[in-house]
């Protein structure tokens, strides 16, 4: 033991000089991701039917003759690039389009002008991802001893290298952007807190990642409001008017982006979500569905829709009919559904517990990870470097009560140091707790929007933001416990 200790004391300073914990984490995640996504058998995510919303408007189309038979079961990596005028309008407004268009441009430049390989997009995401992992681990391990830093780096590789996260890169799900931008958002906040790198550059990273995250999908509209409100502490990072003006302007822009994301939700998607919010949410859990509808001013006969899905081929009523629009959709909104749950706490609690069952699942069970040519069974999911996600799904309690306990632990652990920073008037030190609470609030918004906006329809995928926020905040908590200064303020005076 003494020899091992002496060896570590001798070589850790050398290793930390040439490959610090943040660099080691980045290299480790890069190696695992390259093996998973870019070597056979390629790992990706099968289409659950959502890809068409973003594909055609960006100049891509399904060119596999048997594509329909591969839904949910097999990952498809090759798509066609439209060669002439694209008559398809924008189905939805999303920052995801920026990355798809950039990937298409790179694909045409480096590979082929007619056929798109989704691995080009995966390569772009991987580069961004590695940068985010580096910055986050740097924020977690800054001013930490090398030995402790490498423990954090090892944990980071287990979490960020997990294929449950990286498989999304080989797909057209917006979860890739959500995950990467959440990492950059959290990393920039931690680096500002620990006074690492240039404050103006970090503020720019914070603002850009927040904008891309908020506009990545309409479900994230509340995220802009949350960041704008809970990010006010950025105004006091530096006691300089120029920085404060930039910070205030960034927060206003982020809030505006959230509002715009909500306003720009297409009518079709609004009706889909409203349908599921009622049939798979309110009615599905109501003891007396007819009375529930009557209380909302809706004809009791529509109770027959309870438990139904918008996409069912054979339904009792046309979900797109003017009749349903006038007598069903127009009688309620997300506000009235929220009010209903607030006045029916028992049913709300049941829905929250139902949501908690899927809140810790990173990769939904419905989508396969392999190409058809790999010879795997339909819907087969990879277990390559999936230890963390499998352990997380198996070990975490499946109740909303556990989520509440987790939140209370975070608040209780960090409040003493926050109050100490407040008393000593260390402006920069006041960032950490609001940053953690911002991430938690973003995660909770994912659960709330899922329940209020779509009931129990596809919960595992809709709650992705919560499971991502849980991992980031928990990793920060473990890092600060290892650091040993969670109860006391750090040397982070404002400049």
């Amino acid at each position: 033991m003494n020899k091992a200790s002496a060896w570590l004391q001798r070589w850790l300073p050398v290793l930390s000089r040439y490959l610090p914990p943040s660099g080691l984490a980045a290299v480790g995640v890069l190696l695992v991701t390259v093996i998973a996504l870019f070597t056979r058998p390629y790992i990706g995510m099968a289409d659950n039917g959502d890809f068409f919303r973003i594909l055609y408007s960006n100049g891509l189309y399904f060119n596999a003759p048997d594509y329909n038979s591969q839904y949910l079961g097999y990952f498809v990596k090759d798509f066609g690039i439209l060669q002439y005028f694209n008559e398809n309008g924008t189905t939805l407004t999303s920052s995801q389009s920026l990355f798809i268009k950039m990937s298409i441009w790179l694909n045409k430049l480096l590979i082929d002008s007619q056929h798109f390989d989704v691995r080009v997009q995966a390569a772009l995401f991987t580069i961004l991802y590695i940068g985010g992992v580096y910055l986050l681990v740097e924020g977690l391990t800054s001013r930490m001893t090398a030995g402790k830093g490498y423990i954090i780096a090892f944990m980071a590789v287990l979490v960020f290298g997990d294929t449950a996260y990286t498989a999304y890169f080989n797909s057209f799900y917006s979860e890739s952007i959500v995950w990467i931008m959440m990492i950059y958002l959290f990393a920039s906040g931690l680096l500002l807190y620990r006074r690492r790198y240039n404050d103006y550059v970090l503020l720019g990273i914070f603002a850009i990642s927040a904008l891309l995250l908020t506009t990545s999908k309409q479900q994230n509209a509340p995220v802009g409001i949350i960041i704008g409100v809970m990010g006010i502490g950025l105004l006091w990072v530096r006691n300089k008017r120029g920085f404060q003006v930039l910070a205030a302007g960034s927060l206003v822009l982020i809030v505006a982006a959230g509002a715009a994301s909500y306003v720009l939700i297409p009518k079709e998607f609004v009706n889909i979500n409203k349908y599921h919010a009622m049939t798979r949410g309110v009615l599905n859990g109501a003891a007396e569905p007819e009375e529930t509808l009557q209380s909302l001013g809706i004809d009791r006969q529509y109770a027959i829709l309870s438990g139904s899905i918008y996409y069912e081929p054979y339904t009792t009523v046309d979900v797109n009919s003017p009749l349903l629009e006038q007598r069903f959709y127009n009688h309620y909104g997300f506000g009235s559904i929220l009010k209903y749950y607030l006045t029916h706490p028992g049913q709300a609690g049941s829905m929250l517990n139902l949501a908690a069952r899927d809140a810790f699942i990173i990769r939904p069970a419905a989508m396969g990870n392999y190409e058809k040519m790999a010879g795997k069974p339909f819907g087969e999911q990879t277990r390559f470097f999936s230890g963390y996600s499998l352990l997380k799904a198996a070990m975490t309690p499946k109740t909303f009560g556990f989520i509440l306990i987790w939140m209370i632990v975070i608040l209780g652990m960090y409040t003493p140091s926050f109050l100490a920073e407040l008393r000593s008037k260390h402006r920069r030190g006041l960032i950490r707790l609001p940053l953690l609470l911002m991430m938690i609030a973003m995660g909770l918004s994912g659960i709330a929007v899922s329940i209020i906006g779509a009931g129990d329809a596809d919960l595992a995928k809709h709650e992705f933001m919560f499971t991502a926020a849980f991992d980031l905040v928990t990793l920060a908590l473990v890092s600060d416990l290892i650091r040993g200064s969670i109860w006391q303020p750090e040397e982070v005076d404002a400049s």
Side-chain angles (χ1 to χ4, degrees):
M1 182 65 69
N2 290 335
K3 289 184 178 180
S5 178
W7 186 89
L8 286 174
Q9 289 180 0
R10 178 182 178 184
W11 289 105
L12 271 181
V14 177
L15 179 61
S16 62
R17 179 179 178 183
Y18 294 101
L19 191 64
S22 53
L24 182 63
V27 170
V29 173
L30 177 61
L31 289 175
V32 173
T33 304
V34 167
I35 293 171
L37 305 187
F38 304 103
T39 62
R40 294 183 185 277
Y42 305 118
I43 293 171
M45 294 283 281
D47 183 3
N48 69 348
D50 283 350
F51 287 7
F52 81 94
R53 297 179 179 179
I54 198 72
L55 235 64
Y56 283 98
S57 60
N58 284 293
L60 296 176
Y61 66 95
F62 305 108
N63 62 352
D66 60 342
Y67 190 88
N68 289 346
S69 67
Q70 300 189 59
Y71 278 118
L72 296 175
Y74 295 111
F75 152 56
V76 177
K77 65 178 174 57
D78 297 310
F79 298 84
I81 301 175
L82 292 172
Q83 299 298 300
Y84 305 104
F85 174 73
N86 185 2
E87 62 183 7
N88 301 285
T90 301
T91 308
L92 56 86
T93 304
S94 169
S95 59
Q96 184 181 1
S97 295
L98 298 174
F99 296 95
I100 293 177
K101 290 184 183 298
M102 188 179 300
S103 300
I104 294 173
W105 178 80
L106 288 171
N107 191 98
K108 289 180 176 179
L109 180 67
L110 302 174
I111 302 176
D112 195 312
S113 62
Q114 298 184 23
H115 301 93
F116 179 75
D117 189 330
V118 74
R119 291 174 299 170
V120 175
Q121 176 190 262
L124 178 63
F125 281 147
T126 299
I127 293 170
L128 287 172
Y129 191 51
I130 299 308
V133 170
Y134 178 89
L135 290 177
L136 179 60
V137 176
E138 186 68 23
L140 294 172
T141 61
S142 179
R143 298 188 179 90
M144 184 184 287
T145 61
K148 293 179 178 180
Y150 285 118
I151 296 174
I152 306 303
F154 175 74
M155 291 191 298
V157 173
L158 292 179
V159 175
F160 299 114
D162 198 295
T163 52
Y165 277 127
T166 57
Y168 278 106
F169 297 174
N170 265 336
S171 78
F172 292 103
Y173 296 117
S174 59
E175 276 72 13
S176 298
I177 300 163
V178 170
W179 178 227
I180 293 172
M181 292 308 138
M182 285 183 73
I183 291 173
Y184 274 102
L185 184 73
F186 194 45
S188 57
L190 286 176
L191 290 167
L192 280 167
Y193 164 68
R194 294 203 160 100
R195 200 174 174 184
R196 188 85 168 94
Y197 303 131
N198 183 279
D199 287 340
Y200 290 91
V201 173
L202 293 174
L203 177 62
I205 293 174
F206 184 94
I208 293 171
S209 57
L211 289 170
L212 292 173
L213 171 62
T214 302
T215 56
S216 60
K217 57 195 306 182
Q218 279 77 20
Q219 181 186 343
N220 293 351
V223 169
I225 311 298
I226 293 170
I227 296 174
V229 172
M230 303 193 74
I232 291 178
L234 293 177
L235 300 177
W236 292 279
V237 167
R238 295 180 69 92
N239 191 21
K240 293 184 182 295
R241 185 168 180 80
F243 184 88
Q244 293 172 344
V245 169
L246 285 174
S250 298
L251 295 176
V252 170
L253 186 60
I254 293 166
V255 171
S261 294
Y262 180 79
V263 171
L264 292 173
I265 298 177
K267 179 67 174 177
E268 176 191 355
F269 296 156
V270 171
N271 283 351
I272 293 173
N273 291 333
K274 287 179 70 174
Y275 186 89
H276 288 149
M278 183 60 68
T279 65
R280 300 296 306 178
V282 173
L283 295 180
N284 211 26
E288 298 291 341
E290 291 86 355
E291 293 182 9
T292 297
L293 285 175
Q294 195 170 29
S295 70
L296 293 169
I298 304 173
D299 195 315
R300 295 161 58 96
Q301 67 177 327
Y302 289 107
I304 197 173
L305 298 176
S306 177
S308 63
I309 300 293
Y310 186 92
Y311 298 106
E312 289 177 1
Y314 305 106
T315 60
T316 53
V317 63
D318 182 2
V319 294
N320 293 311
S321 67
L323 180 68
L324 209 64
E325 185 74 36
Q326 297 168 8
R327 299 187 180 182
F328 191 68
Y329 296 130
N330 287 345
H331 286 269
Y332 67 96
F334 300 130
S336 57
I337 292 177
L338 175 60
K339 181 180 177 181
Y340 174 84
Y341 281 125
L342 291 175
T343 55
H344 295 78
Q347 191 173 341
S350 297
M351 287 298 293
L352 287 172
N353 280 326
L354 181 63
R357 290 192 321 188
D358 295 320
F360 301 97
I361 296 175
I362 302 172
R363 174 173 43 207
M367 284 88 85
N369 293 137
Y370 292 102
E371 290 183 281
K372 188 176 182 179
M373 63 183 298
K376 303 287 185 178
F378 186 89
E380 180 79 5
Q381 291 192 330
T382 182
R383 289 182 174 269
F384 173 72
F385 214 86
S386 299
Y388 172 75
S389 57
L390 292 173
L391 185 66
K392 177 183 176 183
M395 299 297 291
T396 47
K398 305 300 186 292
T399 65
F400 194 73
F402 171 72
I403 295 176
L404 290 177
I405 293 173
W406 171 72
M407 291 164 52
I408 292 170
V409 168
I410 297 297
L411 185 62
M413 292 288 243
Y414 285 96
T415 296
S417 62
F418 178 80
L419 294 177
E421 298 281 16
L422 191 62
R423 286 192 297 268
S424 60
K425 297 181 180 180
H426 289 171
R427 295 168 174 252
R428 193 179 294 260
L430 299 176
I431 296 176
R432 182 169 62 171
L433 180 58
L435 178 67
L436 293 168
L437 294 179
M438 180 184 77
M439 300 300 293
I440 292 173
M442 286 164 50
L444 291 177
S445 76
I447 293 178
V449 170
S450 298
I451 293 174
I452 297 171
D456 67 355
D458 203 12
L459 265 179
K461 187 169 179 293
H462 289 163
E463 294 181 296
F464 179 84
M465 183 170 287
F466 175 80
T467 197
F470 177 85
D471 285 347
L472 292 173
V473 172
T474 303
L475 182 60
L477 172 64
V478 173
S479 300
D480 287 334
L481 287 172
I482 291 174
R483 181 188 295 272
S485 62
I486 192 170
W487 303 102
Q488 300 174 351
E490 298 180 27
E491 296 295 328
V492 290
D493 293 347
S495 53

